[in-house]
Amino acid sequence: MKKKTAYQKHSQIFRQRLLEDFVEHIPDAIYFKDIQGRFVFINAAGAKGLGLTPEEVLGKTDWDIFPPRLAKKVIKDSQRVIKSGKAIIDRVDKVPEHSAAGEDFYISTTLIPRFDHRGKCIGVMGIARDVSKRMQFEHLRDKWLPMEKKLLMLEEMTRVKSDFISAVSHEIRTPLAIIKQLFMLIYDETAGPINNQQRELLVKANNNIDRLQHIIEELLDISRIEGQKFSLSYSLIKMKDFLLDSAPFFKEFAAEKQIALEYQMPKQDIAVFVDPERVQQIITNLINNAIKFTPPHGKIVVEVKVLKSKVRVGVLDNGSGIPKEDLFRIFERFVQVSTGDGAKRKGIGLGLTIVKALVEKHGGEIWVESEEGKGSRFFFTLPRFYTTNILPPKVRTKINAMLEKQKSVSLVNLLVVNFEDFRKRLDIDTKKLFRDIHNIVFQAGKDAFKRFSEGDYIYVTNLKEGAVSVVFPYAVKEEPIFCDLIRQRVKNYFLKNSLNEIFMALGLVSYTSESVRGEFDSQNFHIKELYIGSEMRLYKRVKYHVRVCVAKGTGETLVADTQDLSLGGICLITQAPLATDEQVGLVFSLLKIRKEISVQGRVAWVSHVEDHSMTQFLDYYRIGIEFTGLDKKQREMLAKELRLYYE
């Protein structure tokens, strides 16, 4: 019995100590008052909040501590609790006397009646807490909640508007395309002869149809941008060739206004990884704007400069310039600059908005410098390459450590172009695909670099980016062999596994010791990138249907139909496949300029198409032919045909 009593005493002392620790260390004020309102207990936090010690507070009343108005309110609350026997729980009050400059002070008060063993109220127990931050947050929430609702409504209205614009634009697009086709039947005199006066009227009508089509395309683009529904189809292009291919068209357009258009290009080739069609859209918009706002006998310069890790393209003119008040909003939707010339205010003010979105989607920047009356200078940048971005920090640290020791380092990246779209078309598990590709790269390294040990390599597989990277000591002789082995073995892998609808387009770009390297700014860092892509397109295509005579290297000839045509190549429909990389000769008619053209080409990709349905049995091949060795005359003929050809 004594042991139990001792245990109980010990337990009671332990609980008392726990309670004392809790009361003394809690940041809230805890206090007890008697029936006369005198403080009989207050913890350290409560006394500190009053600027006193607990000993200085004991025995005093609220009249002794607080300003009269506040003391009267506190005493009234205590008396109410004592008389009613009902507690006040977490009541929040603003305390003006204690408010800091510019900020309100709020106290949460809990008052509980204290009873003796007979049930008689003998005082109150109180807890006070500073809830100023909480109240500030609640006030802000109450203030911004209506605005948040309005923003959500605006977002919903924007979405509905974008969907409406997209739907209407699509509905207008189809009949407009039919009108265009019917128009061309008349213009080409297919429906009967026309005189010069009628032709002149048709040209004006055609210009307005083109303008309307352009507006519809802009509306569709802006609805895709607002709805975040547009994506890029990346390809590897040589920027110089890409810009110069369209130069004759723009120079001819500028010459019609007696404007000189000049291209200033760097000497070295510039390989960039972009969506060619979208970059062409950017260039076209900027050059067209420059021509529109440059007076006769003016000058426009298109310049390309290679920066540290980017390519910068500039379109500079000495035209009317942009007023200072319009510069900050030039890229906003539906904004047209105030030139004072109403004839120049064509379009709906979406061109530069779309251009900005396309540049930023590529990871670049765009800006303008202008002075009214002196001309404008539009610049945009595109990433030079993004090789090192796919490497984890530990690998980048190891590369820098090797470079600091003056060692030459090679980085070879095998990248899948448009990986998200690519993986959706695979009949093979993505992890297995990259495991197999990793093994191909590993074995190619062993075969090419026989003098290196396995520890000399760093392998990185990045499923998210669709990349396999390998870092190794630079070897001038073995590196090209290594890359060729990878290209050939990856190509064989795809052929062996019969991955449906996957077109091999292995590109290669090399950054030599004179190239820019971004993070690894060293003459000893060498980068090569190999690309796997599904039918990489470098040029804008038009639907094109004509018979083509194809001469194979064996002397055999065949006749094929075409599906589309671009400045870079042609897509054929055949009953039998051609070998990848096979050299062929092509002879076909250019329908609009009514001339025959003979060109050389290389088989870039082959796709087997099977459609065995209830109504039809189709079994044919789509073959992409890349033009090779086009001379100036052939290129001009193709460019002229494509400008005249209407889908």
Side-chain angles (χ1 to χ4, degrees), residues 138-173:
E138 289 183 2
H139 288 160
L140 283 173
R141 183 192 62 190
D142 294 341
K143 179 181 177 181
W144 289 103
L145 194 58
M147 296 186 69
E148 184 181 2
K149 290 180 179 178
K150 288 181 181 178
L151 285 172
L152 289 173
M153 288 178 60
L154 284 172
E155 286 179 5
E156 177 63 16
M157 290 171 64
T158 300
R159 186 192 64 77
V160 171
K161 181 202 69 178
S162 296
D163 290 345
F164 173 76
I165 290 173
S166 179
V168 171
S169 299
H170 276 292
E171 289 300 316
I172 296 174
R173 194 185 201 185

Side-chain angles (χ1 to χ4, degrees), residues 432-465:
K432 183 182 185 308
L433 169 70
F434 273 88
R435 188 165 58 247
D436 293 343
I437 290 177
H438 179 278
N439 292 336
I440 290 170
V441 173
F442 180 78
Q443 188 58 49
K446 288 180 66 176
D447 294 342
F449 305 107
K450 295 179 180 178
R451 60 191 172 95
F452 293 153
S453 66
E454 190 172 330
D456 291 325
Y457 303 94
I458 303 172
Y459 286 95
V460 180
T461 300
N462 191 320
L463 285 176
K464 184 179 179 182
E465 296 286 346

